[in-house]
Amino acid sequence: MKYALLMYSVEKSWAEADEATREQVYAAHGRFSELLRERDAERGGEELALSNTATTVRVRDGEPLLTDGPYAETAEQLGGFYLVEARDLDEALEFARQLATVEDIIEVRPVVEHPAA
């Protein structure tokens, strides 16, 4: 079963991080990715640009309305994700616990898989 590991953090902390801190975080993500590859669990993932670069599309009166910025104003922002293959929720949570040493908040969410048409 596939799970999304959604990583949330306070963007200001990342924006203000020095180069050494950023290198440590990227190295930790590299180690985590290697662990996923060793267990044949990595299915994808990406770092996202800061939320101030987002554009939100809403439909109002049947017409699309574009707004600069994220959908929701929150203390933590979605900064990236991993897509993993896990035998069950327990294994997905095991991955998340290992990733939680690097990121502030990890939301684990099952991916809905539809049968091929």
Side-chain angles (χ1 to χ4, degrees), residues 70-90:
Y71 167 70
E73 296 292 331
T74 61
E76 295 87 10
Q77 294 80 28
L78 179 62
F81 67 93
Y82 284 93
L83 183 61
V84 302
E85 186 77 34
R87 68 180 167 275
D88 55 25
L89 178 59
D90 289 337

Side-chain angles (χ1 to χ4, degrees), residues 56-112:
T56 302
V57 181
R58 294 178 173 89
V59 176
R60 298 289 163 122
D61 299 322
E63 295 293 322
L65 173 67
L66 279 63
T67 306
D68 290 337
Y71 167 70
E73 296 292 331
T74 61
E76 295 87 10
Q77 294 80 28
L78 179 62
F81 67 93
Y82 284 93
L83 183 61
V84 302
E85 186 77 34
R87 68 180 167 275
D88 55 25
L89 178 59
D90 289 337
E91 185 176 34
L93 292 173
E94 176 188 333
F95 291 143
R97 278 191 285 279
Q98 293 178 41
L99 185 56
T101 63
V102 180
E103 295 294 337
D104 296 339
I105 300 168
I106 311 300
E107 179 181 344
V108 178
R109 193 181 297 187
V111 172
V112 176

